[in-house]
Amino acid sequence: MIYQLSLLMFAISVNGIPMEDFFPFNGTKVCLIDAINGLIHTNNTLDANGRSIDDIASSECNEYRLSPNDDASSQNINIPTTFPFFERRFMNVFINTNGVISFADPVPIFTPEPFPIKDRFMIAPFWADVDIRGTGEVYFYETIDRNLLQSAKRIILRATHQAAGFSRFNPKWMLVATWDKVGYFSSHTDMTNTFQAILVTNGQNSFAIFNYLDDGINWNKGDASTVPAQVGFNFGGEMLQTLTLPGSRMENITDIDGSSNLKNRGQFVFRIDAVAFCDDSIDTLYPYNEGKLCTINTTTGLVYTNSSRKGGRLELLDGVNCTEYKLSPNDDGSSGAIPISVPFTMFQHTHSKIFVNTNGLISFRKPFPQPIPVSFPIDSEEIIAPYWTDIDITNTGSVFFKESLDIQILDRITDDVNVANPRLTAFKAHWAFIVTWENVVRSNKTASSQLQPFTFQAVLTTNGRHSFALFLYQSKQMLVELESATDTCKEVQVGFSAGAHYVNYLSEEELLLKSFNNRSLHQQIKFIFQLDNNAVHQFGCNTKGAVIVHQKFVPITGGGLLTITGACFALLNKTLTCKYEHTLITGIIIGDSNTALCPLPLFNRLGKHVLWLSVDNETYHFHTEVNIVPEIYQVPDVIVTDMSGSVLSNHLLIANRTYNITLRNEIWNDHYEVYLMMYNSHFNKWKYGKRLTQSFKFQPFDKDKVSPTIVSVIRVAKIVNGSKVEYSSSLFTIITRDDMKKVCQNWKKRDVQKAGTLLSVIPCPCTLADADSNVLFEDDIKCTSQETHPYWSNLNCKTNTGAYKCVISKSIMYNGAGQQCCYDSNGVLITNSTGRGTIRKTSVHADNYISHFEDDYFPYLICCPDSCDVYYKRRQTDNCFDYIS
């Protein structure tokens, strides 16, 4: 049986690895081996003092080199440990001039033969007619040096992405063979090749590393050879196992120095043993079931933390409270709509939400609970099916999913996609959505044969323009199922469907980028699909269209820097303009990293804002969305304290009192500029007020005529790489006296003059259970349960003391009003205590959130607790009498 690795290559303008990345050679105590008689000369000169290798003390030679020769080999070299090479273990090795390391016998053959070759056991970094009589050297040495072994281990871990099992690989012995500037037959010196092979083992598991020098492969055959060089390995035992790299025995094998199965061009790593690391299925899936896990009830759609008794709504989760989700036990269930932070394009359609379905598929338009698969295409549906079958996780198995911007995960995805196909020379993943079906089983209702539990994974990724899906299968048993998936009446469907673009398992080779390695580093089954129509050009980044923003939420007070990736920023220009609606700000491009930073301005409304980016100050080539949330969701960067050092927490600054400013993440210096920013409610925009110092106080009725109804923010500015970056305090208002009762009475008079009674707001549900299930309401994060939203517990019910949880209306009345309803720990609506909810004069969802702060939040601060009756007369509480369940 032959295991042929399908290893796909790519090339770029810079080939090979630099000499400093080679393992060291030609060091101290280099002994010369006579290629004719095998005698060793410790003085590095062929003379009458040659000795056999058995007569050489280990301290005499650190390294060996072959004497000038053509088609010769070293003598049989005994090694201190057994070296596993697939099904056999060897205790000796030969270094052959013609670019081969062999076991059992030398290989003097100068014209490479096609693999497989029966009874030959050889590793061939460059099998060709090497001739070092005119130029070049062949060096080799064994080592147990810890530093060198660790260097080899790091390369192997990068290759295997530190998958479970491989991360425990600790090498014990290593052989380094280097062909340095070698010529070709017959004694030619006009072109030379430099390459290296490293064998590494821990006694049980073995790897081979091939290194090729940058522009170091220049010839491909000698004068007497009929075919060019061959690269790979051959195990000629009873079970033949071979690898032949693409380009072997072809003229373009000289391009091997620009190819790789790793991130480093000119470097390859191969696993060459037949022993499992831990069991029959090495864990090579992407990380899952880690961090803060929340559960989605597939019946109600509510989300629960590990400790929660009451569910919250998915759209309010902040990415800190829940970093990963799993589906509740179910049969034929679905997650419901999962909002994603990055638009995902699947051919002609771009999606902002995803449905994770129990039955082994991902959909974009609606849940897809259908248990019996049908052939693609499916009209009017976009579906990705890593393993569509009737799955039941009622009693066993789990389905996990998460978004990820983790650099290590994205780098691994980038490697997987780039290695899979030569066209994808440098695609760089900037976002991922990972779904894992762990230890799931088929439903007894439909399966013709019951399988053992199996695990598989789908990974969606994009750089903002190009989209890919990766399918990973952990169990070898699933290979059998996949191979039978082309049956007419099949129980398993694998592929995708998007209108005219679809793949039934292995049916369209031009769309399937296969990396299907039975003996690969990963010991896994893996498929990669490109899911867009855009050609992937050099650099693989985006020259127009959507880009990716890394902050899931941005406070309405803005401040700091927004991180953006997914575009060829470094290639296009060094100038960046960020446009938030009508606000233009100069951005920052970080070196050659294709990462951009946009300073964040002050905003006046919540929800999604479109951010446009330009690299020429004329055309806005890129766009993304920024999700603006109330400032209370995040700790401000600018901290305001009174003279006692207490942090301002009630959003009120009193005139004639001195306050100090500090920065949360930076040490104060004299280069900062401090501004008072005030909101002009008439024009719905922010304007600059007076300049401040680090220590300041406001005079009553000063020249800016600061009044209690003007919402303000302190901004601290500095210059970063030529761009002005500002940091924000929390929102506050300035009052001219500390007699809150009088301030409250003054507010009442102004409020009466500004508007009459509030009309026609949606009534409150009478119980919390009704409120949680009512689609017209959502959780009020300012007053929610510790168990539902523990990250926001520091905000818990400060304006509704005594309430267990509050909800707010999603809809906005014609007059801009909204509803707040609060409930006690028994789930009963509170109507007559300080924890009760109130009608909002300005809904929190209105276009002008600052008006809500001014009209509803500020009055509560100044009136309660001393004059709450005044506040509740102006902001009444609903009694649920008009509510219809």
Side-chain angles (χ1 to χ4, degrees), residues 111-384:
T111 297
E113 302 172 7
F115 295 152
I117 306 173
K118 187 69 174 174
D119 297 325
R120 285 281 188 194
F121 306 92
M122 55 194 294
I123 295 168
F126 200 84
W127 184 12
D129 195 357
V130 176
D131 187 340
I132 58 173
R133 292 175 298 179
T135 184
E137 307 285 356
V138 178
Y139 299 92
F140 65 91
Y141 61 90
E142 304 172 73
T143 183
I144 57 172
D145 180 84
R146 183 179 181 276
N147 291 330
L148 293 177
L149 292 174
Q150 287 300 308
S151 295
K153 179 180 179 179
R154 283 192 292 271
I155 293 172
I156 292 167
L157 291 185
R158 284 199 300 268
T160 60
H161 308 295
Q162 302 195 46
F166 290 101
S167 62
R168 298 189 292 273
F169 175 72
N170 290 303
K172 305 297 183 183
W173 175 87
M174 184 167 72
L175 172 74
V176 179
T178 307
W179 289 258
D180 182 36
K181 300 183 181 66
V182 295
Y184 58 102
F185 184 81
S186 169
S187 299
H188 289 293
T189 62
D190 57 324
M191 294 183 292
T192 64
N193 290 350
T194 298
F195 54 94
Q196 192 174 64
I198 301 95
L199 305 186
V200 189
T201 186
N202 63 359
Q204 296 293 322
N205 308 109
S206 303
F207 292 87
I209 302 171
F210 293 173
N211 288 331
Y212 300 90
L213 184 66
D214 183 6
D215 291 329
I217 305 298
N218 300 292
W219 60 265
N220 60 26
K221 64 177 181 289
D223 293 347
S225 298
T226 56
V227 295
Q230 178 157 285
V231 177
F233 54 76
N234 182 86
F235 178 84
E238 182 175 345
M239 181 177 288
L240 294 172
Q241 303 189 71
T242 70
L243 166 70
T244 302
L245 264 65
S248 291
R249 297 169 54 83
M250 300 174 65
E251 296 295 327
N252 67 347
I253 192 60
T254 52
D255 294 335
I256 192 70
D257 57 351
S259 305
S260 181
N261 64 353
L262 302 175
K263 199 168 187 177
N264 296 332
R265 279 64 172 172
Q267 188 172 72
F268 296 81
V269 176
F270 308 101
R271 184 180 173 196
I272 53 174
D273 67 82
V275 180
F277 271 84
C278 47
D279 55 34
D280 190 50
S281 177
I282 294 175
D283 181 8
T284 56
L285 302 179
Y286 284 87
Y288 69 95
N289 191 14
E290 57 184 20
K292 298 179 180 178
L293 185 66
C294 296
T295 300
I296 293 185
N297 186 309
T298 56
T299 301
T300 65
L302 295 177
V303 181
Y304 298 78
T305 63
N306 283 335
S307 61
S308 65
R309 292 181 294 107
K310 296 181 181 297
R313 299 180 188 275
L314 182 65
E315 62 268 22
L316 295 176
L317 295 172
D318 65 345
V320 176
N321 188 22
C322 300
T323 58
E324 188 168 6
Y325 306 90
K326 76 171 184 176
L327 300 184
S328 62
N330 73 87
D331 183 23
D332 302 335
S334 172
S335 64
I338 309 297
I340 54 178
S341 58
V342 172
F344 185 81
T345 298
M346 190 170 179
F347 296 101
Q348 65 267 36
H349 297 291
T350 299
H351 303 280
S352 60
K353 63 181 183 292
I354 285 175
F355 296 85
V356 175
N357 302 280
T358 301
N359 289 327
L361 69 160
I362 298 168
S363 55
F364 294 93
R365 296 183 181 275
K366 63 182 181 181
F368 216 85
Q370 181 173 328
I372 306 300
V374 296
S375 294
F376 296 148
I378 299 176
D379 291 340
S380 303
E381 296 291 346
E382 283 83 49
I383 291 174
I384 295 173

Side-chain angles (χ1 to χ4, degrees), residues 492-719:
V492 179
Q493 169 77 353
V494 176
F496 64 81
S497 178
H501 305 279
Y502 62 93
V503 163
N504 289 314
Y505 175 67
L506 297 182
S507 64
E508 295 190 24
E509 292 291 335
E510 70 274 11
L511 290 177
L512 181 62
L513 312 178
K514 288 202 301 180
S515 178
F516 185 45
N517 304 337
N518 295 332
R519 285 287 179 187
S520 72
L521 288 170
H522 299 282
Q523 289 280 313
Q524 70 182 6
I525 310 162
K526 176 172 59 181
F527 302 98
I528 300 177
F529 303 88
Q530 185 173 353
L531 299 178
D532 65 86
N533 286 321
N534 299 315
V536 182
H537 300 293
Q538 188 179 15
F539 306 110
C541 50
N542 201 349
T543 56
K544 63 179 180 179
V547 290
I548 296 166
V549 60
H550 283 234
Q551 285 91 322
K552 187 169 184 179
F553 295 121
V554 171
I556 196 166
T557 49
L561 293 164
L562 190 70
T563 302
I564 300 164
T565 57
C568 304
F569 294 119
L571 299 174
L572 297 171
N573 206 312
K574 294 297 182 183
T575 300
L576 179 69
T577 302
C578 310
K579 180 181 178 182
Y580 303 89
E581 296 185 339
H582 303 295
T583 303
L584 300 181
I585 300 177
T586 300
I588 302 167
I589 295 175
I590 302 177
D592 296 326
S593 66
N594 284 335
T595 297
L597 303 174
C598 283
L600 286 160
L602 288 159
F603 298 90
N604 60 11
R605 65 175 179 84
L606 304 180
K608 293 185 176 180
H609 290 236
V610 177
L611 167 61
W612 295 93
L613 304 171
S614 173
V615 292
D616 60 9
N617 292 322
E618 293 181 3
T619 304
Y620 287 90
H621 311 79
F622 307 103
H623 60 85
T624 186
E625 289 184 336
V626 182
N627 195 9
I628 307 303
V629 297
E631 87 291 346
I632 59 174
Y633 291 3
Q634 298 189 14
V635 178
D637 291 314
V638 177
I639 309 297
V640 181
T641 60
D642 61 23
M643 291 304 293
S644 69
S646 299
V647 176
L648 176 71
S649 59
N650 63 357
H651 300 276
L652 299 175
L653 287 179
I654 300 175
N656 274 334
R657 290 189 181 179
T658 301
Y659 296 92
N660 291 318
I661 298 172
T662 57
L663 295 175
R664 180 164 59 98
N665 295 318
E666 297 188 28
I667 298 175
W668 188 273
N669 63 58
D670 294 336
H671 297 292
Y672 292 115
E673 296 180 348
V674 185
Y675 300 91
L676 177 67
M677 300 293 296
M678 299 181 297
Y679 190 74
N680 187 320
S681 57
H682 180 72
F683 293 102
N684 289 340
K685 62 187 296 185
W686 291 93
K687 68 175 184 176
Y688 282 96
K690 65 186 299 183
R691 290 283 297 270
L692 301 175
T693 59
Q694 185 182 10
S695 181
F696 68 92
K697 66 180 178 180
F698 294 107
Q699 299 296 327
F701 309 108
D702 65 10
K703 62 181 180 180
D704 288 304
K705 296 182 179 179
V706 178
S707 76
T709 58
I710 292 183
V711 179
S712 303
V713 164
I714 292 174
R715 298 274 279 189
V716 176
K718 70 174 184 177
I719 303 300

Side-chain angles (χ1 to χ4, degrees), residues 304-505:
Y304 298 78
T305 63
N306 283 335
S307 61
S308 65
R309 292 181 294 107
K310 296 181 181 297
R313 299 180 188 275
L314 182 65
E315 62 268 22
L316 295 176
L317 295 172
D318 65 345
V320 176
N321 188 22
C322 300
T323 58
E324 188 168 6
Y325 306 90
K326 76 171 184 176
L327 300 184
S328 62
N330 73 87
D331 183 23
D332 302 335
S334 172
S335 64
I338 309 297
I340 54 178
S341 58
V342 172
F344 185 81
T345 298
M346 190 170 179
F347 296 101
Q348 65 267 36
H349 297 291
T350 299
H351 303 280
S352 60
K353 63 181 183 292
I354 285 175
F355 296 85
V356 175
N357 302 280
T358 301
N359 289 327
L361 69 160
I362 298 168
S363 55
F364 294 93
R365 296 183 181 275
K366 63 182 181 181
F368 216 85
Q370 181 173 328
I372 306 300
V374 296
S375 294
F376 296 148
I378 299 176
D379 291 340
S380 303
E381 296 291 346
E382 283 83 49
I383 291 174
I384 295 173
Y387 205 80
W388 182 8
T389 190
D390 189 4
I391 293 173
D392 185 348
I393 62 170
T394 303
N395 298 311
T396 185
S398 300
V399 180
F400 301 90
F401 63 90
K402 66 178 178 180
E403 280 190 287
S404 180
L405 296 175
D406 181 86
I407 296 300
Q408 290 184 338
I409 290 176
L410 296 178
D411 282 349
R412 178 179 167 186
I413 293 172
T414 297
D415 287 347
D416 280 345
V417 173
N418 285 342
V419 169
N421 190 276
R423 296 184 301 107
L424 314 177
T425 55
F427 166 83
K428 184 170 178 58
H430 288 284
W431 171 88
F433 190 86
I434 301 171
V435 187
T436 308
W437 288 261
E438 180 190 55
N439 292 329
V440 297
V441 295
R442 295 251 197 102
S443 170
N444 290 324
K445 297 179 298 184
T446 56
S448 59
S449 60
Q450 181 63 44
L451 292 177
Q452 294 297 315
F454 52 93
T455 298
F456 60 98
Q457 195 172 68
V459 179
L460 308 186
T461 186
T462 184
N463 65 354
R465 185 180 187 190
H466 309 297
S467 303
F468 293 88
L470 290 74
F471 296 171
L472 298 94
Y473 305 90
Q474 189 182 43
S475 169
K476 289 184 178 180
Q477 176 63 35
M478 295 188 72
L479 173 61
V480 178
E481 293 297 312
L482 285 172
E483 292 292 355
S484 64
T486 53
D487 296 343
T488 303
C489 299
K490 58 190 174 209
E491 298 175 349
V492 179
Q493 169 77 353
V494 176
F496 64 81
S497 178
H501 305 279
Y502 62 93
V503 163
N504 289 314
Y505 175 67

